[in-house]
């Protein structure tokens, strides 16, 4: 079947293409234009519309035992979604798996990375992901607070041992990469530590947070995984923590490193309340460090819930829970904490946070090194994305918002002085081309021949929030799945994985370790293909950058 | 060997599924209950409920909701069995516990570990355990007094001496990583809430966590599936076209006893225990092994036991999560998920499936 999407403005930064033209697709892939005169089986008129590849969200907590805990903690979210009109913030949360896939698809997203899978819960996470329709998925497995790694580092074992362990974990849990969350901080919290920084040592192991990050960064690099180590730094959310971000960027030492939700580390300690924006300094450091990529974790105002494997931080944030209930799970390694929270436009701190996110977006020069996230749902539900695109694309709209926020907060930021407006090409680079590159996905994020036919057609509406809120057409794997902002076809995506090789000696060691420590077979966390009751649930992404 | 029956007469599986579909289609309020099944069975059951406007309830919802009520009212601090076993220098056992729980928990040889058991009820354990109180009825006041003492507030009347309470408080505060262990089925929500409040209070100065021991029949596995498919726990109904949760309204036993439910799908693949009601209601039973039913069901389908007869994903308590279990003694027998899918396939297409 040959389809032609014709007459739209085709924006494909990978090919440096921005022109009125056609996109051809055949059997689920983009194809080169056929010889002149060839008649397509189907033609979609995109005149006056924008054509882009499907968007990729690189960091959104959409599935797994931690997310499910949040669902069960907050039945009122569900009551709200059932009983209220469809356009209230809570009803837009995309809460159960089915809605999650549908809502992402209607916005033109065709792949989402779930960034926080505790290895022991990998099967659970993949089962949930398999129940999210339409979009493709991938997971990051969390290491860095687990006893096995901390022992390897304490006992000064070889880099090979760490590398094999990382590879074994990725392979067994079917992940696409590794994330470290407050390296050592959860282990320190188990020993009653209440704060933990880059050069603090984990009690009982004597290993510093920096040493954990470096060991994992090198292992990921040596394995030639496409995605660099994904780092959730220490001291999330604290005044003055820009120093932590700067120190972590410096610690990257020219090797690739991804810093997650940088907005939560963009804080200085100036002003009457000792809380200010340090986004300009952090952005400058990112601009200089070409080896570093970041995603933003933009805050938007409204009720949400924070879901984090940084148990130490979540415990310290418990007094801010709104509604007043929270859970902390001391896991075998990281565990997690769930703290509901409401960002308010009239709250000084929340207004600074909102501005810090936008400053980072706008002050980091290269749109392929700053990624578009709200750290869903931590900064805001993913359903707020259309509004954020609009804010990035219009300084007038930002000015309207700024006028409604507390002046003392805005004065401690540089946001009002920033004139930059994102172009559609930059939006496409940030949400399509760059994410595909960040995860080594050669056949996604662009519209060149051979790419997976994940294609979005947006109406070129001056109201950008409206435009990005409901795509005119979405093709997933060449099939039309969304028309006029509504899902028209149900189908199931795949989970993308990498499979680095490892020395099987690590398998024997882990078998003994799990038998002794847990009384369990060490592969209880494995995700057999047969466990996922969908055809072809996985897709393999090659290693080697 | 026969695998399907209608009114006690052996029939082909297709005929049994068609009859089950007919019963569901004609039903005003069907209830899918028991739910003692694996992850695949739970997914199929919830999908079928969405299609037929049925209620889903697990046989151990009561115990699940004891803990969940506390979670959604106040939140909770919990940990894993392995963390409790290997790292806890203080185990606070609360109320009656299943006999097999303790040897497991105490199997690791730690240099120092204090074990205190509040109100063990009838359970006796030979090891080095300090027991305080006896009858579980005393727990609410005992825990309230302990909590007050720890917070430095005057304790109300306690069922044991002031000195005992004070020394209990001192021991709890001296723990470096304490874990309170209780059986979800044995304690009522108010007692659990008091205990969880005590745990939170202790964390102001030291580290303490909780380990509720889950009920069986894959209750936690079914809870997880229900959570991701509907964002709600079992005792959820779909009659109005969307998922609604109400622990009282959608209690299967109440619905049957009150005559509100007019058709039941009873699923029990682990436990031979019969449904907990006395009233006669048209029943489609999916059971394995020697499940005993008080009355002959209209439709009976013999299904496999997950992890024994066929591969399955279930909640594995030692792992604290869902895990893949290869069949221990594989044999050819239909699974709950396959049986439910066949029943769904026999429904008229006018009832559309969302997944
Ligand atoms: Zn995150």
């Amino acid at each position: 079947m040959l389809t032609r999407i014709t007459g739209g403005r085709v924006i494909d930064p990978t090919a440096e293409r921005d022109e009125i033209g056609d996109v051809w697709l055949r059997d689920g892939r983009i194809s080169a234009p056929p010889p002149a005169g060839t008649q397509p089986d189907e033609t979609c008129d995109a005149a006056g519309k924008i054509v882009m590849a499907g968007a990729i969200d690189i960091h959104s907590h959409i599935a797994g035992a931690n997310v499910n805990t949040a669902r069960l903690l907050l039945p009122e979210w569900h009551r709200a979604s059932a009983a209220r009109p469809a356009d209230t913030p809570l009803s837009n949360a995309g809460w159960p798996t089915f809605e999650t896939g549908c809502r992402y698809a209607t916005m033109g997203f065709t792949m989402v990375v779930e960034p926080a899978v505790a290895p022991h819960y990998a099967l659970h996470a993949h089962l949930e992901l398999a129940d999210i329709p339409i979009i493709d998925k991938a997971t990051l497995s969390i290491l860095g607070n687990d006893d096995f790694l901390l022992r390897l580092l304490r006992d000064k074992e070889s880099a090979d041992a760490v590398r094999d362990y990382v590879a074994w974990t990725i392979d067994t849990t079917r992940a696409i990469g590794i994330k470290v969350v407050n390296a050592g901080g959860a282990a320190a919290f188990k020993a009653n530590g209440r704060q933990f920084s880059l050069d603090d040592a984990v009690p009982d192991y004597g290993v510093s947070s920096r040493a954990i990050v470096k060991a994992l960064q090198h292992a990921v690099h040596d394995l030639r995984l496409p995605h660099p180590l994904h780092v959730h730094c220490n001291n999330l959310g604290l005044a003055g923590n820009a120093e932590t971000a700067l120190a972590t960027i410096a610690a990257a030492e020219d090797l690739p490193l991804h810093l997650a939700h940088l907005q939560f580390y963009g804080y200085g300690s100036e002003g009457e309340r000792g809380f200010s924006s340090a986004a300009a300094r952090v952005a400058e450091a990112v601009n200089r460090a070409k080896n570093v990529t970041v995603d933003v974790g933009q805050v938007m105002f409204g009720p949400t819930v924070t879901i984090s494997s940084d148990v130490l931080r979540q415990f310290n944030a418990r007094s801010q829970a709104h509604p007043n209930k929270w859970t902390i799970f001391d896991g075998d390694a990281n565990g997690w904490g769930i703290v509901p929270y409401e960002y308010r436009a009239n709250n000084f701190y929340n207004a600074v946070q909102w501005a810090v996110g936008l400053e980072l977006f706008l002050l980091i020069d290269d749109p392929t090194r700053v990624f578009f996230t709200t750290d869903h749902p931590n900064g805001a539900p993913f359903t707020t994305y259309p509004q954020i695109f609009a804010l990035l694309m219009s300084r007038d709209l930002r000015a309207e918002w700024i006028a409604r926020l507390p002046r003392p907060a805005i004065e401690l930021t540089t946001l009002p002085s920033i004139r930059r407006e994102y172009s559609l090409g930059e939006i496409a680079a940030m949400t399509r081309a760059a994410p595909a590159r960040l995860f080594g996905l050669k056949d996604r994020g662009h519209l060149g021949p051979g790419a997976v036919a994940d294609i979005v057609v947006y109406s070129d509406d001056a109201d950008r929030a409206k435009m990005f809120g409901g795509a005119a057409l979405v093709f997933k794997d060449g099939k039309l799945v969304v028309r006029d902002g509504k899902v028209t076809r149900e189908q199931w995506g795949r989970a993308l994985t990498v499979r680095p090789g490892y020395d099987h000696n690590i398998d024997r060691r882990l078998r003994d370790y799990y038998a002794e420590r847990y009384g369990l077979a060490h592969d209880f966390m494995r995700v057999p293909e047969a466990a996922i009751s969908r055809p072809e649930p996985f897709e393999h992404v090659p290693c080697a950058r | 060997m026969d695998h399907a029956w209608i009114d006690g007469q052996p029939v082909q599986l297709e005929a049994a599924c068609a009859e089950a579909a007919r019963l569901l289609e004609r039903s005003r309020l069907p209830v899918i209950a028991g739910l003692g099944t694996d992850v695949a069975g739970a997914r199929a059951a919830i999908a079928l409920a969405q299609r037929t406007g049925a209620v889903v309830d697990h046989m151990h919802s009561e115990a699940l909701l004891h803990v969940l009520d506390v979670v959604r009212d106040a939140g909770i601090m919990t940990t894993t069995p392995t963390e409790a076993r290997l790292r806890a220098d203080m185990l606070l056992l609360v109320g009656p516990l299943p006999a097999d729980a303790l040897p497991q928990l105490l199997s690791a040889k730690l240099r120092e570990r204090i074990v205190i058991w509040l109100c063990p009820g009838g359970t006796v354990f030979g090891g080095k355990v300090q027991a305080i109180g006896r009858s579980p009825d005393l727990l609410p006041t005992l825990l309230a007094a302990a909590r007050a003492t720890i917070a430095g507030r005057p304790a109300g009347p306690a069922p044991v001496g002031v000195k005992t309470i004070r020394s209990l408080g001192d021991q709890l505060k001296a723990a470096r990583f304490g874990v309170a262990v209780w059986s979800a089925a044995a304690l009522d929500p108010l007692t659990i809430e008091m205990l969880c409040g005590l745990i939170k209070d202790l964390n102001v100065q030291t580290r303490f966590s909780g380990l509720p021991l889950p009920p069986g029949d894959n209750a936690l596995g079914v809870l997880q599936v229900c959570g991701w498919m509907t964002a709600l726990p079992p005792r959820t109904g779909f009659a109005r076209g969307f998922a609604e949760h109400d622990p009282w309204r959608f209690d299967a036993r109440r619905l049957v006893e009150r005559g509100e439910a007019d058709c039941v799908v009873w699923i029990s693949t682990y436990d031979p225990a019969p449904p907990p009601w006395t009233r006669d209601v048209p029943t489609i039973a999916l059971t394995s092994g020697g499940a005993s039913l008080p009355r002959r069901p209209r439709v009976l389908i013999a299904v496999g036991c997950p992890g024994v007869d066929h591969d399955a994903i279930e909640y594995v308590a030692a792992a604290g999560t869902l895990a893949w279990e290869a069949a221990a003694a594989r044999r050819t027998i239909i699974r709950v998920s396959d049986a439910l899918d066949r029943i769904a396939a026999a429904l008229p297409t006018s009832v559309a499936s969302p997944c």
Side-chain angles (χ1 to χ4, degrees), chain A residues 59-61 115-116 179 232 260-261 307 375-376 378:
Chain A
H59 188 124
S60 173
H61 301 270
K179 182 190 194 190
H232 165 131
H261 37 71
I307 299 175
D375 191 15
H376 163 84
N378 291 323

Side-chain angles (χ1 to χ4, degrees), chain A residues 64-65 68-69 71-76 78-79 82 95-98 120-121 123-124 127-128 130-131 187 189-192 194 315 318 324-333 490 492 516-520 524 526 528 530-534, chain B residues 39 43 68 71-83 85-87 176-177 200 202-209 223-233 242-245 313 316 318-324 326 353-355:
Chain A
N68 227 19
T69 306
R71 293 186 182 110
L72 295 171
L73 176 74
L74 289 158
E76 54 268 48
H78 192 93
R79 275 202 288 278
W95 210 219
T97 44
F98 190 76
H120 291 183
Y121 299 82
L123 176 60
H124 179 149
L127 289 166
E128 283 200 30
D131 273 354
F189 180 54
K190 285 177 181 172
N192 206 18
R194 299 292 159 116
F315 180 75
R318 68 196 185 284
N324 181 19
K325 54 182 174 180
W326 46 274
T327 73
I328 292 289
F329 172 59
D330 281 295
D332 292 326
E490 264 161 40
W492 301 93
E516 204 234 88
R517 187 175 174 88
Y518 291 87
L520 288 168
F524 76 87
R526 82 191 201 278
I532 309 295
S533 53
R534 309 238 178 246
Chain B
V39 162
R43 285 177 73 244
L68 212 49
V71 170
R72 51 200 187 183
D73 280 352
I76 197 168
M77 295 182 77
T78 56
T79 189
T80 70
T82 302
E83 287 293 300
R85 190 162 45 85
L86 295 181
R87 296 194 49 254
R176 288 196 308 275
F177 183 70
K200 285 183 172 180
L202 285 163
N203 275 281
V204 175
Q205 295 298 334
T206 187
R207 289 309 327 279
F208 222 97
S209 195
L223 172 68
Q224 294 299 332
V225 176
C226 217
W228 81 65
M229 287 180 77
T230 69
L232 296 168
F242 53 87
E244 289 178 284
H245 169 71
I313 300 165
V316 174
T321 182
L322 302 176
W324 170 264
S353 165
C355 39

Side-chain angles (χ1 to χ4, degrees), chain A residues 85-289:
Chain A
D87 55 354
T88 60
L90 284 180
S91 67
N92 282 329
W95 210 219
T97 44
F98 190 76
E99 280 182 49
T100 300
C102 292
R103 289 181 187 275
Y104 259 114
T106 56
M107 297 192 306
F109 280 75
T110 51
M111 177 172 170
V112 177
V113 179
E114 157 53 58
V117 174
H120 291 183
Y121 299 82
L123 176 60
H124 179 149
H126 277 287
L127 289 166
E128 283 200 30
L129 291 172
D131 273 354
I132 294 179
I134 302 176
I135 59 174
D136 291 328
K137 288 85 50 163
T139 65
L140 301 179
S141 280
I142 299 176
L143 291 176
N145 280 288
D146 47 312
D147 172 72
F148 192 84
L149 179 70
L150 294 175
R151 279 177 196 230
L152 290 181
L153 299 179
R154 178 195 64 194
D155 299 342
K156 307 219 172 349
E157 293 216 31
S158 68
D160 290 359
V162 175
R163 197 188 58 208
D164 285 338
Y165 175 53
V166 166
W168 182 92
T169 303
I170 288 188
D171 193 54
T172 306
T173 61
R174 297 211 191 239
I176 202 167
I178 293 289
K179 182 190 194 190
V180 59
V181 178
N182 192 356
F189 180 54
K190 285 177 181 172
N192 206 18
R194 299 292 159 116
Q195 53 190 26
F196 197 71
S197 291
L198 196 56
D199 289 307
D200 288 339
V202 184
D204 305 329
Y205 297 94
V207 178
S208 74
S209 190
R210 180 189 297 272
I212 298 167
V213 171
K214 293 303 293 179
L216 288 172
Q217 182 197 23
H218 280 280
V220 166
H221 186 73
D222 294 348
L223 286 166
R224 301 159 68 85
L225 302 185
H227 187 53
L229 180 66
H230 197 103
V231 183
H232 165 131
C233 301
N234 319 105
N235 296 323
L236 184 141
L238 302 182
N241 68 3
E243 301 307 327
T244 303
L246 297 172
T248 310
I249 290 169
E253 296 174 311
D254 295 334
L255 281 188
L257 198 70
H258 180 86
L259 300 191
H261 37 71
L262 193 61
Q263 177 279 128
F264 288 108
Y265 302 94
Y267 313 141
S269 48
E270 277 153 39
E272 254 171 54
R273 303 184 202 218
F275 189 78
S276 58
S277 167
R281 275 168 65 216
V282 174
E284 199 185 304
V286 173
N287 284 336
R288 273 198 310 269

Side-chain angles (χ1 to χ4, degrees), chain B residues 63 66 94-97 136 139 182-188:
Chain B
H66 283 177
V94 185
L97 293 173
L139 272 175
W182 73 95
S183 160
L187 304 190
D188 62 85

Side-chain angles (χ1 to χ4, degrees), chain A residues 389-451:
Chain A
F389 287 127
L391 286 164
L392 295 178
M393 296 187 72
S394 165
R395 60 174 168 265
D396 291 344
L397 183 62
R398 293 198 294 269
E400 278 173 40
W401 280 57
I402 288 169
R404 294 197 297 266
L405 297 177
R407 277 262 300 264
I410 295 302
E411 279 165 3
L412 289 163
T413 80
T414 67
L415 189 61
S417 68
I418 303 175
R419 300 186 54 76
R420 181 175 169 197
E421 294 181 330
Y422 268 68
S423 67
L424 283 171
E426 286 177 320
I427 297 281
M430 176 170 62
T431 56
R432 275 83 172 164
R437 203 185 311 154
L438 187 68
F439 284 90
L441 314 174
K442 296 203 163 49
D443 57 2
R444 282 173 170 76
H446 67 93
L447 297 171

